[in-house]
Amino acid sequence: MKLHFLGGAMEIGGSCIYMDLSGKRILMDCGIRQSGSKDPIPDFATIQSQGGLDAILISHAHMDHIGTLPIISKAYPDARIYMTAMTADLTRVLLYDSLKIMKNREDEIPHYTEKDVLAMLDRITPVRYQTPMHIFDGFTVTFYPAGHIAGAACIYITSEEGSVFYSGDFSSFSQRTIEGIRIPKLRPDVSIVETTYGNRLHSNRQTEERRLVSLVNECIAAGQKILIPCFALGRAQEVLLILRAAVQNGEIPAVPVFVDGMVRDINTMYTRNPTYLKNALAKRIMKGNEPFYTKEIQAVAPNQKRDELLASKDPVIIVSSSGMLTGGPSTQYARKLVSSENACIIITGYQDEESPGRQLLSLLTPSSANDVLTRAETHADTEERKITLDGTSYPVGCRIEQVGLSAHGDKSEITALLDRLSSRRIFLVHGNADVIRELGSEVAAEDFRRQVYLPECGMEYDVTIRTKRKQLSFIPAFTMQKTAPFTADDGKLLWDYWREHYPGKYFPVSQIAYIWYGRRITEEPVLQEMQDALIASPYFSLNTRQMFLFETNTEEAVEHALMPKEPTIQDIENRARDVFAGYAYRKLGYHTDTKELILSFDYPDSLDPAQFADHAEQFLQATGWAAKISPSMNHNAAGSLLHTLFADRLLKTSYYLDRKCYAVTLSSVSDTDQEAAASFLHETGWQLTINGNLYPGSTDSGADPLADGVQTDKNTNEYSNMEFIPHRTEAEPIEQNLALSCIDHEFSSAAFLPEKKSLKQDQRGRYIELSFISPAAGMKVRDTIQRAADQTGWRIRIADKINQNALIQNICSLCSEHGVTLKKNPSYMPLTRSLVLKVSPDTDTPVLSLIREEFQKRTCCSFEYTKEC
């Protein structure tokens, strides 16, 4: 075999190893160097000179391992890319963010385009942990959990020419989001192992977490604002969980914690991939609970002004990317805080030698810094403390601290991994030159049989394996030899067999499939269906430490799981939100004794009984509870509607329950009264008597004035073009989950975010519907929607509906902020798609004008108001 080190050798960054093994040309990782003094691109000319590329294997989603993937994939489009599903999701987010950063650099030409990223993503084949994949004849690749970050993998390759283990970045200890590295007894001929911290031992993890909590407490007590610049992927999630637990346990006061930058997008990817996370966190997500955010910990809105977050005199905590202060919102916050004595910046991760974060650490004394700094890097107390951010120098007056939350293995973990692998040929990479040389000499001295290589970038090694190590493969002693696919109904059968022949053992789904079918299964759809059935079965559970492994439940657990369970009120409410998602009910009521759910509406008589009955039946089947409509109309809402319809002409109102009719007295009649009565009937289901005359509730034309969708007046339709068609209609739409993820990323910096994404179907086929706070808000970001349609190949429509609750919440919040007292709850006027407010008579009109302007910015809707005593 031949090994070419194109990047990441005697350096940290640009990891890229090219291998010719058994006639196949493989690339392991394809990173970028983010240091400004080095060429960012690995030595791709070697790949061309060696004849090209057959496959690409990716260990994890950090940019120093994936940053140039679109470039090489474009050059060799036939080379499939293999990574875990979690890494694929994260790769998409990070590369799109990289695109945005490159576009904002006016003096630089981007390394790749959005089209290159989309094409590359389409070439990815997801790989499961601990599931051998035959990517070529006689060539098998297996991914194992590496720790480090979610989805990270160690890669094990076996071929006729020998076996290779590539660690990628790894960590042995358990973090809050993920478990540490998990590999069985492997027998690689060649091992390629990272050495980031190969010359030091980490502090105890729990000690460092307690130190972070203690530092935050000290800063809050001193009234300081805290900036924690974090790597968006991995480190930020760890910090958020530490802070969340500390607040919940009362270890730190409940001060605002703002989450900014790409951290928000990565949090979403974690939520979508729970099986790659630690058991407790995964279960929290699977139950529908938010893993990171609380009422104290909130994501910064894309259009939120960051200066406002720091305007208060009270302490706040900012968790933001980037972790080295090389860009992203953390740099903006640092510019505001770094010169202030009333602020603290806490560094939690590796800092490149040229980064602003390293400049801050250089102001610490070597004894107080956990990072290794030379004396030349340490400023004397008499020298002026400065830092350069975005080319501008700032005096440093803030407090600087460092907490060791590294997700890389230290010296003891690296040597333990090498001992477990027992390879005779060892290549040490991904570390500074001094670190690699120091560790290399110690590793070689420990065992004279080891051949330790310390490659530099550009070096080539021709390795001949004369006696290959015998590989250990999983061949179950007992199999069930089934021909029919496994379903949830087969759970008891498999459970009995497993407990009899493999008591206490746990397996990945690929090995369970081997036991069930009696042969090795590699078809992804078969394995996915089996995993879904196992997760749904009461007989099996995901292993508490390794969520990609299954184990059998105890008899007691199975018996308990099979017992009929009464749904909790929370279960009922969650199910009601799903089943009745299209209904604008005001509140839910519960009669636990009769198992009845009561939905209260402003206008219950306007509902379609048959349609509601269908949804009620769905709800009954799902919960065993009956769903009923409260017959009571909200007469306050009806009164507000009448006020909107007739304004100052309205003198008196009354209603008759038995006839379901409202009577109004107007100061004058108008040609529009017929249309107003029709609107009232359509909206409320009640007839209207005007000055003693009963109106039938139809317009002159006999048409329903609201039937044609969102209208601004009788003759115009402001939102008539709310469907967006991909420009390349001949291209196949991408997979729906990936499409939804692409839409999420496209909206990461949009002025308005979709509140809901739904898959719909009409006579032309399937499409995606985006629901905003209002259709007008959706039209404000139509360029973003069009880009999302072009990227995904899906038709996208803006939902023609208003989020009434969100409108009311926004107006109440604005009124509270500006000291305006509402006499009653705001009312929503469907005809005008606006709100009606009743305020105190002493309310300043300019203040209401200011609120209206801000409300329009937030919602693209308006409101009317009256002043009442």
Side-chain angles (χ1 to χ4, degrees):
M1 71 179 70
K2 288 185 178 180
L3 294 171
H4 302 263
F5 293 86
L6 314 184
M10 289 290 180
E11 63 177 354
I12 298 174
S15 291
C16 190
I17 302 170
Y18 181 66
M19 176 173 59
D20 189 328
L21 180 63
S22 295
K24 298 299 180 183
R25 295 155 301 184
I26 308 297
L27 194 66
M28 294 187 294
D29 283 341
C30 193
I32 194 168
R33 298 183 183 94
Q34 295 175 299
S35 171
S37 62
K38 296 181 180 179
D39 184 348
I41 310 298
D43 180 21
F44 288 152
T46 297
I47 298 176
Q48 188 174 20
S49 67
Q50 295 296 316
L53 198 56
D54 296 310
I56 302 171
L57 311 177
I58 299 297
S59 66
H60 67 286
H62 276 144
M63 287 297 290
D64 61 328
H65 294 258
I66 62 165
T68 54
L69 196 49
I71 301 174
I72 202 65
S73 182
K74 182 179 181 179
Y76 299 98
D78 293 331
R80 293 299 300 175
I81 305 168
Y82 299 91
M83 61 179 74
T84 66
M86 179 68 164
T87 298
D89 273 355
L90 295 170
T91 293
R92 181 189 56 75
V93 172
L94 270 80
L95 290 181
Y96 268 102
D97 183 75
S98 177
L99 273 175
K100 185 167 62 176
I101 293 172
M102 288 189 291
K103 288 178 181 178
N104 290 334
R105 292 174 178 168
E106 296 181 358
D107 298 334
E108 295 184 21
I109 299 175
H111 299 307
Y112 45 81
T113 66
E114 185 176 324
K115 182 179 178 181
D116 298 333
V117 174
L118 284 171
M120 181 275 299
L121 291 171
D122 197 44
R123 299 178 187 121
I124 292 175
T125 298
V127 180
R128 296 172 181 273
Y129 283 141
Q130 208 163 310
T131 301
M133 178 173 283
H134 302 285
I135 61 175
F136 306 114
D137 288 342
F139 201 107
T140 299
V141 173
T142 310
F143 282 33
Y144 296 99
H148 189 55
I149 62 170
C154 300
I155 302 173
Y156 190 50
I157 305 168
T158 59
S159 75
E160 297 175 355
E161 202 171 286
S163 57
V164 177
F165 176 88
Y166 174 52
S167 72
D169 293 353
F170 78 95
S171 176
S172 297
F173 57 83
S174 173
Q175 303 178 54
R176 287 181 179 254
T177 52
I178 55 172
E179 297 289 352
I181 185 173
R182 293 289 186 272
I183 59 171
K185 187 67 176 177
L186 302 177
R187 299 173 62 80
D189 297 301
V190 173
S191 292
I192 306 171
V193 177
E194 72 129 325
T195 61
T196 308
Y197 292 116
N199 67 341
R200 60 181 259 191
L201 300 177
H202 290 323
S203 302
N204 177 271
R205 180 75 175 198
Q206 285 71 37
T207 299
E208 290 299 299
E209 290 185 3
R210 287 195 296 271
R211 182 167 178 270
L212 174 61
V213 172
S214 177
L215 285 173
V216 169
N217 245 329
E218 290 178 18
C219 294
I220 293 174
Q224 294 177 328
K225 292 177 171 55
I226 305 166
L227 172 62
I228 308 179
C230 287
F231 299 127
L233 172 52
R235 190 64 43 79
Q237 290 71 40
E238 290 290 313
V239 169
L240 290 177
L241 291 180
I242 293 169
L243 295 177
R244 174 177 171 143
V247 171
Q248 291 176 341
N249 295 333
E251 296 173 342
I252 61 175
V255 301
V257 179
F258 296 110
V259 182
D260 206 351
M262 193 171 53
V263 179
R264 300 167 301 191
D265 298 325
I266 301 299
N267 286 351
T268 301
M269 295 302 104
Y270 271 60
T271 304
R272 290 181 180 175
N273 293 272
T275 57
Y276 287 90
L277 307 179
K278 204 168 182 177
N279 184 271
L281 186 60
K283 287 184 176 179
R284 185 189 304 170
I285 294 170
M286 289 176 176
K287 290 179 179 178
N289 297 320
E290 168 56 49
F292 300 110
Y293 301 116
T294 64
K295 64 179 181 179
E296 293 86 15
I297 303 174
Q298 295 292 325
V300 176
N303 58 348
Q304 193 165 354
K305 296 179 181 178
R306 295 187 172 101
D307 289 352
E308 295 178 355
L309 303 180
L310 303 176
S312 169
K313 295 181 179 180
D314 297 325
V316 297
I317 304 171
I318 308 289
V319 178
S320 178
S321 55
S322 71
M324 298 187 196
L325 295 174
T326 52
S330 67
T331 306
Q332 299 178 40
Y333 293 116
R335 287 200 297 265
K336 296 289 183 181
L337 298 177
V338 71
S339 302
S340 171
E341 295 182 359
N342 198 37
C344 177
I345 298 179
I346 302 177
I347 303 295
T348 63
Y350 175 83
Q351 303 295 309
D352 185 82
E353 292 182 4
E354 300 174 6
S355 68
R358 176 57 72 102
Q359 294 176 41
L360 284 181
L361 289 185
S362 70
L363 301 178
L364 293 169
T365 61
S367 60
S368 64
N370 290 330
D371 207 2
V372 178
L373 302 172
T374 65
R375 290 187 179 276
E377 289 177 301
T378 305
H379 291 227
D381 292 339
T382 57
E383 296 182 18
E384 186 176 2
R385 294 152 52 96
K386 290 185 177 181
I387 182 176
T388 301
L389 296 167
D390 292 336
T392 302
S393 180
Y394 295 86
V396 177
C398 69
R399 177 179 178 179
I400 305 165
E401 295 290 348
Q402 185 184 28
V403 177
L405 298 177
S406 174
H408 290 271
D410 65 3
K411 180 178 179 179
S412 66
E413 295 172 66
I414 295 169
T415 55
L417 176 62
L418 293 174
D419 289 342
R420 181 173 178 81
L421 296 171
S422 300
S423 296
R424 295 291 175 258
R425 297 166 182 83
I426 297 171
F427 291 83
L428 301 180
V429 297
H430 199 288
N432 293 327
D434 292 343
V435 175
I436 290 180
R437 292 190 183 102
E438 180 181 335
L439 178 65
S441 62
E442 293 185 25
V443 170
E446 286 177 359
D447 190 337
F448 71 92
R449 294 168 296 180
R450 288 174 170 169
Q451 299 176 19
V452 180
Y453 300 86
L454 310 181
E456 297 181 15
C457 292
M459 284 189 171
E460 171 189 338
Y461 295 85
D462 196 339
V463 180
T464 301
I465 310 297
R466 292 185 172 83
T467 305
K468 294 186 299 179
R469 300 177 74 183
K470 185 177 180 180
Q471 298 302 309
L472 304 174
S473 59
F474 177 76
I475 301 177
F478 306 96
T479 62
M480 301 178 71
Q481 301 293 320
K482 297 294 183 181
T483 56
F486 178 83
T487 68
D489 294 336
D490 299 313
K492 177 65 163 58
L493 181 63
L494 177 60
W495 182 69
D496 287 336
Y497 191 87
W498 189 332
R499 283 160 54 85
E500 178 183 355
H501 297 287
Y502 302 103
K505 300 290 186 182
Y506 40 85
F507 304 102
V509 67
S510 60
Q511 294 180 2
I512 301 171
Y514 200 147
I515 294 170
W516 177 261
Y517 292 101
R519 58 186 175 86
R520 185 172 285 108
I521 300 295
T522 59
E523 295 85 352
E524 180 66 20
V526 176
L527 294 175
Q528 184 62 53
E529 288 178 8
M530 188 168 208
Q531 176 167 301
D532 293 342
L534 289 166
I535 289 176
S537 172
Y539 295 94
F540 310 98
S541 296
L542 292 166
N543 181 259
T544 56
R545 295 185 64 82
Q546 303 175 75
M547 293 285 292
F548 59 93
L549 301 180
F550 286 90
E551 60 189 7
T552 56
N553 289 333
T554 63
E555 292 183 14
E556 294 78 7
V558 169
E559 183 178 354
H560 179 74
L562 293 175
M563 289 175 59
K565 290 183 176 61
E566 286 294 328
T568 65
I569 293 298
Q570 185 66 49
D571 295 333
I572 295 296
E573 185 173 336
N574 291 338
R575 179 62 68 174
R577 287 173 179 168
D578 293 336
V579 175
F580 300 106
Y583 291 83
Y585 53 84
R586 288 188 295 116
K587 65 178 182 178
L588 299 175
Y590 308 93
H591 294 169
T592 56
D593 52 342
T594 58
K595 294 186 178 180
E596 290 180 340
L597 174 73
I598 309 300
L599 291 88
S600 297
F601 295 86
D602 282 343
Y603 310 120
D605 297 299
S606 66
L607 300 175
D608 181 345
Q611 185 181 40
F612 184 84
D614 290 341
H615 288 91
E617 180 61 27
Q618 294 178 28
F619 187 74
L620 178 64
Q621 295 297 326
T623 65
W625 280 47
K628 297 183 178 181
I629 299 172
S630 171
S632 300
M633 175 191 269
N634 183 349
H635 293 289
N636 288 332
S640 297
L641 176 57
L642 289 170
H643 180 86
T644 301
L645 292 172
F646 301 112
D648 295 338
R649 293 189 296 134
L650 184 64
L651 299 177
K652 180 182 178 182
T653 64
S654 57
Y655 57 85
Y656 306 91
L657 294 175
D658 55 340
R659 289 184 284 156
K660 293 188 177 179
C661 178
Y662 256 83
V664 298
T665 302
L666 304 182
S667 60
S668 61
V669 295
S670 169
D671 293 339
T672 62
D673 290 347
Q674 178 87 359
E675 183 178 343
S679 298
F680 187 79
L681 175 62
H682 175 88
E683 195 66 35
T684 67
W686 283 38
Q687 295 252 338
L688 186 62
T689 297
I690 301 177
N691 290 354
N693 297 314
L694 178 64
Y695 280 71
S698 61
T699 61
D700 293 338
S701 63
D704 182 346
L706 300 179
D708 293 329
V710 182
Q711 296 191 350
T712 55
D713 58 41
K714 189 174 180 179
N715 301 311
T716 63
N717 188 344
E718 181 183 353
Y719 314 122
S720 59
N721 185 19
M722 296 200 296
E723 180 170 281
F724 300 81
I725 309 297
H727 288 142
R728 290 186 58 203
T729 56
E730 73 280 5
E732 284 292 322
I734 64 176
E735 190 268 337
Q736 64 186 41
N737 289 325
L738 182 57
L740 296 177
S741 297
C742 287
I743 291 172
D744 279 347
H745 183 77
E746 192 59 42
F747 274 90
S748 61
S749 58
F752 293 96
L753 303 181
E755 298 180 334
K756 182 180 179 182
K757 301 181 290 297
S758 308
L759 295 175
K760 303 281 187 177
Q761 185 155 354
D762 59 17
Q763 64 273 18
R764 288 183 291 156
R766 296 199 304 165
Y767 65 95
I768 295 175
E769 181 181 84
L770 302 182
S771 300
F772 294 85
I773 193 170
S774 68
M779 293 300 288
K780 289 288 186 181
V781 290
R782 51 186 175 271
D783 291 341
T784 303
I785 300 176
Q786 185 62 58
R787 287 197 302 272
D790 294 340
Q791 290 173 17
T792 63
W794 282 74
R795 283 188 299 134
I796 302 179
R797 288 184 189 172
I798 298 173
D800 181 13
K801 55 187 176 183
I802 293 276
N803 186 339
Q804 299 179 30
N805 291 333
L807 291 185
I808 292 173
Q809 289 172 4
N810 268 278
I811 197 64
C812 289
S813 174
L814 284 169
C815 288
S816 175
E817 291 172 12
H818 292 277
V820 172
T821 301
L822 296 175
K823 304 295 290 184
K824 294 182 179 179
N825 289 332
S827 301
Y828 174 67
M829 299 294 101
L831 185 63
T832 59
R833 296 205 168 192
S834 63
L835 296 179
V836 173
L837 310 183
K838 295 183 180 180
V839 300
S840 301
D842 57 347
T843 304
D844 290 337
T845 301
V847 172
L848 290 170
S849 298
L850 183 64
I851 292 174
R852 179 182 280 116
E853 181 181 352
E854 184 63 26
F855 184 67
Q856 173 68 28
K857 288 180 182 179
R858 290 189 184 183
T859 67
C860 296
C861 294
S862 188
F863 65 84
E864 300 298 330
Y865 66 88
T866 59
K867 294 184 178 181
E868 295 185 2
C869 296

